[in-house]
Amino acid sequence: MRYEPASVYNAPARLFHWLTALLLLLQYVLAWTMPDVHRDTKPIGLIAWHLGVGMVIILLVLVRLLWRSAHAAPPEPATLPPALRALARYTHGLLYVLLIAIPLMGWANASSRGWPVTLFGFIPMPPLSPAGSSVGHALGDWHRNVAWVLIALAGVHIAGALFHQFVLRDGTLDRMLPAHRKQAASKQ
Ligand code: HEM
Ligand code: HEM
């Protein structure tokens, strides 16, 4: 199979993609191992880590979207059926929406608990809702539930990548992988 250089995501886009995936994985591990959050819980230990990593995810996704707005995705293979093309685009769009919405809801919930939220542990961020706010409180439930929707959607996304790799065999996965793999593949 031949790979055109233009049909590969650029290096920063690939770095942003895999860094987001890695931090998300860490974030779910933290979410599920941190103590249950109650009215008198203090934001320390693993909970502080969950807040901190979540804020880094927001920043990363914002920088990634800025980069993406200036650098179009490489053209899809001409053989891609229009329905699959649309499915991929809507899935990617929705993934970005959730990657912003979920941490914002967590942030609003933390603020409603009166917890200080910082970037990198030392840059204070403004509260997204007043302490004691019932909306901020309700957003905690939304945060938890929509995090499951993200898992489901990421599952669809990963299944799509595997379908391209092993059924369609159209080189889609290589668009997100380091360059040396593509060079090796193009020699075949
Ligand atoms: C993409 C990023 C994030 C993901 C995937 C995520 C995921 C989760 C998940 C799965 C839970 C539920 C844990 C459980 O079932 O016990 C949770 C809880 C929580 N998260 Fe996040 N989180 C993210 C970002 C953030 C951010 C940025 C903050 C705050 C700055 C935050 C604050 C919280 C709080 C306060 C809870 C407890 C909510 C409650 O039980 O009412 N999260 N998070
Ligand atoms: C094993 C895990 C994963 C694999 C194999 C994978 C694979 C890929 C591939 C091959 C593409 C390029 C698609 C194309 O050319 O149209 C892509 C794009 C994308 N992936 Fe993943 N991915 C994984 C995990 C994730 C996760 C966890 C997220 C976020 C929740 C994510 C979000 C995205 C987004 C938003 C794009 C679109 C990039 C853009 O055009 O701006 N991926 N992924």
Side-chain angles (χ1 to χ4, degrees):
M1 188 167 295
R2 278 185 58 80
Y3 293 92
E4 305 301 329
S7 68
V8 170
Y9 280 87
N10 54 40
R14 283 180 275 138
L15 181 72
F16 289 140
H17 177 268
W18 292 112
L19 207 55
T20 313
L22 204 70
L23 284 180
L24 261 191
L25 192 67
L26 173 65
Q27 185 67 339
Y28 278 99
V29 171
L30 286 169
W32 291 328
T33 50
M34 70 189 188
D36 283 349
V37 174
H38 300 295
R39 191 181 292 268
D40 49 1
T41 306
K42 301 256 180 306
I44 52 173
L46 291 180
I47 298 180
W49 275 99
H50 182 77
L51 269 53
V53 171
M55 295 307 288
V56 172
I57 292 178
I58 300 191
L59 179 66
L60 176 67
V61 176
L62 287 178
V63 173
R64 179 174 172 187
L65 282 173
L66 268 182
W67 179 264
R68 177 68 166 81
S69 64
H71 302 85
E76 290 117 339
T79 51
L80 192 67
L84 269 191
R85 184 177 312 236
L87 180 67
R89 287 188 179 176
Y90 282 120
T91 308
H92 294 161
L94 198 53
L95 282 171
Y96 280 129
V97 170
L98 295 186
L99 283 172
I100 294 290
I102 291 171
L104 285 182
M105 291 189 279
W107 180 355
N109 181 254
S111 301
S112 76
R113 297 176 184 281
W115 292 354
V117 173
T118 60
L119 189 57
F120 303 126
F122 66 92
I123 303 173
M125 300 299 285
L128 280 197
S129 69
S133 140
S134 56
V135 174
H137 182 76
L139 284 175
D141 293 339
W142 278 91
H143 177 68
R144 247 181 293 127
N145 294 335
V146 180
W148 280 107
V149 177
L150 177 59
I151 293 183
L153 200 64
V156 170
H157 174 68
I158 294 169
L162 296 177
F163 181 70
H164 278 282
Q165 181 69 5
F166 296 111
V167 181
L168 299 180
R169 295 170 188 266
D170 59 4
T172 296
L173 185 58
D174 290 301
R175 289 154 59 86
M176 250 329 157
L177 292 180
H180 65 83
R181 249 188 74 96
K182 293 180 280 283
Q183 279 156 12
S186 64
K187 289 200 186 100
Q188 285 172 11

